[in-house]
Amino acid sequence: MVTVEDTALAVTDTGGTGRPVVYLNGSYATRKNWKKVVADLGPGFRHITFDERARGKSETSNDYSFEACLRDIDAVLAARGITEKVILVGWSYGALVAVHWADRNPDRVAGVVSADGAMPWGFTDQENLDRIRAMFAKMGPMMWLLRPLQLAARMTPDQHADVNIELNLLCAELAPVLDRLATPVRYVIATGANLGAAEEEMAAVRKSLEPCLAANPNLIVSSRVASNHSKILAKDFHAVAEAIRETAAALV
């Protein structure tokens, strides 16, 4: 466990002398989701995974903000004694965290791999933000049933809503960050729908990335895969692993 502020994070570190790869989870996901990617890559890398606050085996906190997620990366790297440049790999929410951390720490990142995340699209109108809060309020009594399915964390309904509203606002404001990134970012993009989002909506999310790809040559589409947003690490883990290999190879 790595102690940070008022909580402690469950961390797995394979050790070794290979390039450190830090994996950042989807909103309510855990370290377990990266097992196939880590196995595909093998021992040539140093794999570091951790459960975010109130997810998996990590402890709860009074702060579940996006800024707290960024600070957690700092805490994990410091605790594991990592001073060399890392490859950040993020899925969904984790990809958003990865590009923001890379933007703030360009001298500490060798590259970023995004598994169907870090795209500049999100709800900003009050009607949809209110809908998000109402949805989590309604789900409140069922939260404990949703946690094993990685559809909820050990948070209150209001905390869940706060995280998701903040996520939407940050995604909507992501384009300037992507446009200025000096760090290479390789995208593995799913093509299917997602739980709670129709295929047309997910297509609009992915299309929002196109102007950023055109504006910044550091942003590269490594592959487009057949799986949907939820299943990309389970069904197309090899494509994610290959994007990590491509990132590492470009550093040689």
Side-chain angles (χ1 to χ4, degrees):
M1 301 292 284
V2 170
T3 300
V4 50
E5 299 168 4
D6 67 343
T7 187
L9 307 177
V11 179
T12 299
D13 180 357
T14 62
T17 58
R19 172 75 63 176
V21 182
V22 180
Y23 299 87
L24 305 175
N25 307 325
S27 290
Y28 307 122
T30 70
R31 294 169 290 169
K32 295 179 180 179
N33 295 87
W34 298 105
K35 284 186 175 181
K36 290 184 177 181
V37 177
V38 170
D40 192 298
L41 287 169
F45 296 87
R46 180 177 178 180
H47 305 281
I48 300 165
T49 59
F50 65 96
D51 295 334
E52 260 296 355
R53 304 178 186 207
R55 284 84 154 176
K57 294 186 178 180
S58 291
E59 296 178 0
T60 55
S61 172
N62 289 316
D63 188 354
Y64 298 116
S65 67
F66 188 79
E67 290 296 324
C69 292
L70 296 174
R71 296 195 300 272
D72 288 345
I73 299 175
D74 293 320
V76 169
L77 293 179
R80 303 311 303 160
I82 295 171
T83 57
E84 65 183 289
K85 289 187 175 183
V86 301
I87 296 174
L88 292 179
V89 186
W91 168 40
S92 189
Y93 184 85
L96 182 67
V97 176
V99 296
H100 270 274
W101 198 86
D103 181 51
R104 300 184 190 190
N105 301 274
D107 58 334
R108 301 174 67 188
V109 185
V112 172
V113 173
S114 165
D116 211 40
M119 299 177 192
W121 188 96
F123 293 121
T124 59
D125 61 289
Q126 195 60 48
E127 181 181 353
N128 274 302
L129 299 183
D130 290 343
R131 180 175 62 85
I132 290 170
R133 192 166 296 282
M135 178 186 70
F136 281 104
K138 186 176 181 180
M139 289 168 56
M142 300 184 294
M143 288 295 187
W144 67 277
L145 291 171
L146 297 174
R147 289 172 194 155
L149 302 175
Q150 297 187 357
L151 297 175
R154 296 191 307 282
M155 303 176 187
T156 67
D158 276 344
Q159 288 169 332
H160 279 89
D162 289 343
V163 167
N164 280 270
I165 288 171
E166 184 181 41
L167 167 63
N168 273 273
L169 296 176
L170 285 167
C171 285
E173 299 169 355
L174 184 59
V177 177
L178 295 178
D179 288 347
R180 68 175 178 253
L181 267 179
T183 300
V185 181
R186 283 177 167 78
Y187 283 85
V188 180
I189 300 176
T191 55
N194 184 39
L195 182 64
E199 195 163 327
E200 294 80 6
E201 185 175 317
M202 291 305 297
V205 172
R206 292 158 185 148
K207 188 175 179 61
S208 72
L209 182 62
E210 292 180 6
C212 298
L213 292 171
N216 187 347
N218 290 314
L219 310 182
I220 303 163
V221 175
S222 177
S223 60
R224 299 181 189 271
V225 296
S227 57
N228 66 20
H229 182 81
S230 300
K231 299 295 184 182
I232 190 169
L233 297 185
K235 294 187 175 181
D236 283 300
F237 58 89
H238 182 70
V240 178
E242 190 58 30
I244 298 170
R245 291 190 185 94
E246 292 170 359
T247 301
L251 302 172
V252 177

